[in-house]
Short mmCIF file of all heavy atoms in Angstrom, two decimals:
data_model
loop_
_atom_site.label_atom_id
_atom_site.label_comp_id
_atom_site.label_asym_id
_atom_site.label_seq_id
_atom_site.Cartn_x
_atom_site.Cartn_y
_atom_site.Cartn_z
N ARG A 155 15.21 5.96 -39.48
CA ARG A 155 15.41 4.67 -38.83
C ARG A 155 15.21 4.77 -37.32
O ARG A 155 14.67 3.88 -36.68
CB ARG A 155 16.83 4.16 -39.12
CG ARG A 155 17.05 3.72 -40.57
CD ARG A 155 18.45 3.16 -40.73
NE ARG A 155 18.68 2.75 -42.10
CZ ARG A 155 19.85 2.25 -42.54
NH1 ARG A 155 20.85 2.10 -41.68
NH2 ARG A 155 19.98 1.90 -43.79
N THR A 156 15.65 5.87 -36.75
CA THR A 156 15.60 6.02 -35.29
C THR A 156 14.24 6.49 -34.80
O THR A 156 14.00 6.54 -33.60
CB THR A 156 16.67 7.02 -34.81
OG1 THR A 156 16.47 8.27 -35.46
CG2 THR A 156 18.07 6.49 -35.13
N GLN A 157 13.33 6.85 -35.72
CA GLN A 157 12.03 7.37 -35.31
C GLN A 157 10.87 6.45 -35.69
O GLN A 157 9.72 6.85 -35.64
CB GLN A 157 11.81 8.76 -35.92
CG GLN A 157 12.80 9.80 -35.41
CD GLN A 157 12.52 11.18 -35.96
OE1 GLN A 157 11.57 11.40 -36.70
NE2 GLN A 157 13.37 12.14 -35.60
N ARG A 158 11.20 5.23 -36.06
CA ARG A 158 10.13 4.29 -36.39
C ARG A 158 9.42 3.82 -35.14
O ARG A 158 10.07 3.53 -34.13
CB ARG A 158 10.72 3.08 -37.14
CG ARG A 158 11.22 3.42 -38.55
CD ARG A 158 11.87 2.20 -39.19
NE ARG A 158 12.37 2.52 -40.52
CZ ARG A 158 13.10 1.69 -41.26
NH1 ARG A 158 13.43 0.50 -40.77
NH2 ARG A 158 13.51 2.05 -42.45
N PRO A 159 8.09 3.74 -35.17
CA PRO A 159 7.35 3.28 -33.97
C PRO A 159 7.68 1.83 -33.67
O PRO A 159 7.99 1.04 -34.56
CB PRO A 159 5.89 3.46 -34.38
CG PRO A 159 5.90 3.44 -35.87
CD PRO A 159 7.20 4.07 -36.29
N LEU A 160 7.61 1.49 -32.40
CA LEU A 160 7.94 0.13 -31.97
C LEU A 160 6.96 -0.89 -32.55
O LEU A 160 7.35 -1.97 -32.98
CB LEU A 160 7.94 0.06 -30.44
CG LEU A 160 8.41 -1.25 -29.81
CD1 LEU A 160 9.85 -1.55 -30.21
CD2 LEU A 160 8.29 -1.18 -28.29
N HIS A 161 5.67 -0.53 -32.55
CA HIS A 161 4.64 -1.42 -33.08
C HIS A 161 3.76 -0.63 -34.06
O HIS A 161 2.66 -0.20 -33.70
CB HIS A 161 3.79 -2.01 -31.95
CG HIS A 161 4.57 -2.78 -30.94
ND1 HIS A 161 5.17 -3.99 -31.22
CD2 HIS A 161 4.88 -2.50 -29.65
CE1 HIS A 161 5.80 -4.44 -30.15
NE2 HIS A 161 5.64 -3.55 -29.18
N PRO A 162 4.23 -0.42 -35.28
CA PRO A 162 3.46 0.38 -36.25
C PRO A 162 2.13 -0.27 -36.62
O PRO A 162 2.03 -1.50 -36.71
CB PRO A 162 4.40 0.46 -37.46
CG PRO A 162 5.28 -0.75 -37.33
CD PRO A 162 5.46 -0.96 -35.86
N ARG A 163 1.12 0.56 -36.81
CA ARG A 163 -0.20 0.07 -37.22
C ARG A 163 -0.23 -0.14 -38.72
O ARG A 163 0.19 0.71 -39.50
CB ARG A 163 -1.28 1.07 -36.82
CG ARG A 163 -1.51 1.20 -35.33
CD ARG A 163 -2.15 -0.04 -34.74
NE ARG A 163 -3.49 -0.27 -35.25
CZ ARG A 163 -4.59 0.00 -34.56
NH1 ARG A 163 -4.52 0.50 -33.33
NH2 ARG A 163 -5.77 -0.24 -35.06
N ASP A 164 -0.74 -1.27 -39.13
CA ASP A 164 -0.89 -1.58 -40.55
C ASP A 164 -2.16 -0.91 -41.07
O ASP A 164 -3.24 -1.11 -40.53
CB ASP A 164 -0.97 -3.09 -40.73
CG ASP A 164 -0.98 -3.50 -42.20
OD1 ASP A 164 -0.87 -2.62 -43.07
OD2 ASP A 164 -1.11 -4.71 -42.47
N VAL A 165 -2.02 -0.10 -42.10
CA VAL A 165 -3.18 0.64 -42.63
C VAL A 165 -3.53 0.23 -44.06
O VAL A 165 -4.39 0.85 -44.69
CB VAL A 165 -2.92 2.17 -42.59
CG1 VAL A 165 -2.73 2.64 -41.16
CG2 VAL A 165 -1.70 2.54 -43.44
N LYS A 166 -2.89 -0.81 -44.55
CA LYS A 166 -3.05 -1.16 -45.97
C LYS A 166 -4.49 -1.51 -46.34
O LYS A 166 -4.90 -1.31 -47.49
CB LYS A 166 -2.13 -2.33 -46.32
CG LYS A 166 -0.64 -1.97 -46.29
CD LYS A 166 0.22 -3.16 -46.66
CE LYS A 166 1.70 -2.77 -46.61
NZ LYS A 166 2.58 -3.92 -46.93
N ASP A 167 -5.25 -2.05 -45.41
CA ASP A 167 -6.61 -2.49 -45.74
C ASP A 167 -7.70 -1.53 -45.26
O ASP A 167 -8.89 -1.86 -45.33
CB ASP A 167 -6.86 -3.87 -45.13
CG ASP A 167 -5.93 -4.93 -45.71
OD1 ASP A 167 -5.61 -4.83 -46.91
OD2 ASP A 167 -5.53 -5.84 -44.96
N LEU A 168 -7.31 -0.35 -44.78
CA LEU A 168 -8.33 0.58 -44.29
C LEU A 168 -9.18 1.16 -45.41
O LEU A 168 -10.39 1.32 -45.27
CB LEU A 168 -7.66 1.72 -43.51
CG LEU A 168 -7.11 1.39 -42.13
CD1 LEU A 168 -6.55 2.65 -41.47
CD2 LEU A 168 -8.18 0.77 -41.25
N TYR A 169 -8.53 1.50 -46.51
CA TYR A 169 -9.24 2.11 -47.65
C TYR A 169 -8.79 1.43 -48.94
O TYR A 169 -7.59 1.15 -49.11
CB TYR A 169 -8.97 3.61 -47.73
CG TYR A 169 -9.33 4.36 -46.47
CD1 TYR A 169 -8.35 4.75 -45.56
CD2 TYR A 169 -10.66 4.67 -46.19
CE1 TYR A 169 -8.68 5.43 -44.40
CE2 TYR A 169 -11.00 5.36 -45.03
CZ TYR A 169 -10.01 5.73 -44.14
OH TYR A 169 -10.33 6.39 -42.99
N ASP A 170 -9.73 1.21 -49.84
CA ASP A 170 -9.35 0.62 -51.12
C ASP A 170 -8.89 1.70 -52.08
O ASP A 170 -8.95 2.91 -51.77
CB ASP A 170 -10.51 -0.20 -51.72
CG ASP A 170 -11.75 0.63 -52.01
OD1 ASP A 170 -11.61 1.83 -52.35
OD2 ASP A 170 -12.87 0.09 -51.91
#
Side-chain angles (χ1 to χ4, degrees):
R155 290 183 181 178
T156 58
Q157 295 183 2
R158 291 176 181 173
L160 186 60
H161 301 291
R163 292 290 296 257
D164 186 3
V165 298
K166 291 180 181 179
D167 297 326
L168 286 184
Y169 303 102
D170 61 33

